[in-house]
Amino acid sequence: AVEFNGGVIIGADSRTSTGSYVANRVTDKLTRITDKIYCCRSGSAADTQAIADIVSYSTYFFENQNGRDAHVSEVAAEFRKFCYNYRDSIMAGIIVAGYDDQNGGQVYSVPLGGMLIRQSCTIGGSGSSFIYGFVRENYSENMEKEECVEFVKKAVFHAMFHDGSSGGVCRIGIITKEGIERRVFLAPPVD
């Protein structure tokens, strides 16, 4: 996930695996929390789906009770609470990304164990260990929207190429004050 002036870009592959078995080739790992806040999930699919459902419900309840949209930082703190409190019994890495009127586009990382940190660019999941060098060499602050889309797409494809647990298609979400624009890219052919 990457922040840009006006919003955030999120991206993920679509493979869910159980060991060496591919359980689902077309999973949507970009999970809606609100119309302007999404999360990317890695780790145990069951754990991350359950936490995302709980946070989505609690955010919906919060918004109804308070009469305002939740801030991205508030949703990220809710994810951190669950990931930290249950760190010994779940395996969940979450990237929370979205847009709110107070702080614009924001990206938060909640890695295994439940730490919370805001970053302008963050990566996660099993494929991320293969692309640290790519990200360091190709990411720069203040990239334009389409530059960020291309950067995130290439990063996901690099992870898919090198990691056996990553694969399928690349799903991209562009979150701005208008909501989300979704794009899907097929992996390039392997030479």
Side-chain angles (χ1 to χ4, degrees), residues 28-190:
D28 187 357
K29 295 182 185 176
L30 307 180
T31 305
R32 180 191 177 280
I33 304 303
T34 72
D35 289 341
K36 296 180 186 175
I37 303 173
Y38 277 68
C39 72
C40 297
R41 307 177 289 112
S42 63
S44 163
D47 292 345
T48 59
Q49 285 173 349
I51 291 170
D53 286 347
I54 292 166
V55 171
S56 179
Y57 174 78
S58 100
T59 302
Y60 176 77
F61 184 80
F62 171 87
E63 289 179 339
N64 280 325
Q65 292 297 308
N66 292 288
R68 69 166 177 87
D69 291 343
H71 297 146
V72 182
S73 61
E74 293 168 331
V75 172
E78 189 77 0
F79 270 105
R80 186 217 52 85
K81 179 178 78 174
F82 286 103
C83 291
Y84 180 78
N85 289 343
Y86 298 99
R87 65 191 176 279
D88 294 330
S89 54
I90 64 169
M91 191 169 71
I94 307 288
I95 296 172
V96 181
Y99 183 93
D100 63 49
D101 292 333
Q102 184 178 41
N103 293 311
Q106 301 149 75
V107 173
Y108 294 89
S109 177
V110 185
L112 296 175
M115 181 181 78
L116 174 63
I117 185 168
R118 181 176 177 184
Q119 298 178 299
S120 59
C121 174
T122 191
I123 58 177
S126 63
S128 66
S129 59
F130 296 98
I131 63 169
Y132 278 99
F134 172 84
V135 170
R136 186 173 41 254
E137 289 296 315
N138 293 282
Y139 171 73
S140 62
E141 300 244 352
N142 303 317
M143 288 193 292
E144 295 298 318
K145 179 176 89 168
E146 290 304 323
E147 287 180 289
C148 288
V149 169
E150 195 61 27
F151 168 73
V152 172
K153 180 176 80 170
K154 284 181 179 178
V156 171
F157 283 149
H158 279 293
M160 289 166 54
F161 180 78
H162 294 287
D163 178 37
S165 296
S166 300
V169 299
C170 172
R171 298 184 193 279
I172 299 282
I174 304 164
I175 306 170
T176 62
K177 63 181 175 185
E178 283 83 32
I180 188 166
E181 175 193 341
R182 303 281 304 247
R183 298 182 189 174
V184 177
F185 299 96
L186 300 176
V190 178

